[in-house]
Amino acid sequence: MGELTRVAALEDLASQELAAYDVIGKRIAIARVGDAFYAFGDTCTHQGCSLADGALDGATVTCPCHGSQFNVRNGEVVRGPAREPVPSYLVRLEADDLQVEV
């Protein structure tokens, strides 16, 4: 089991669908889908672009560089050219803080 780390205040994410943070040496993207938050590796496994710079449609994020798509709930590839999933992380809301287990 990893360590829970505060990433942001919930109010900081209220108006954003996607954001990226450095968390204990890892670049992690946070996606807001309805009232739920999901954390996953921000770096596309195809060519290393930031997924937080991409577009979110439901639970699917599209990489801005070459169009690879990933499921934000589990990091799995929805559509290539990427073949490897991105890591996904447990998210917990504690009071008004968003925490991620890394």
Side-chain angles (χ1 to χ4, degrees), residues 19-95:
Y21 299 90
D22 289 315
V23 182
I24 308 178
K26 296 180 183 185
R27 188 78 176 159
I28 295 179
I30 304 290
R32 181 174 50 87
V33 180
D35 291 332
F37 292 91
Y38 300 96
F40 53 95
D42 182 47
T43 306
C44 178
T45 56
H46 175 241
Q47 295 236 334
C49 296
S50 170
L51 295 175
D53 290 339
L56 185 65
D57 183 16
T60 301
V61 63
T62 301
C63 178
C65 293
H66 296 102
S68 292
Q69 294 182 327
F70 300 88
N71 183 323
V72 301
R73 292 182 175 109
N74 58 21
E76 293 296 318
V77 175
V78 174
R79 185 184 80 199
R83 295 183 181 184
E84 297 295 320
V86 293
S88 64
Y89 303 94
L90 175 71
V91 174
R92 185 171 88 178
L93 292 175
E94 184 68 35

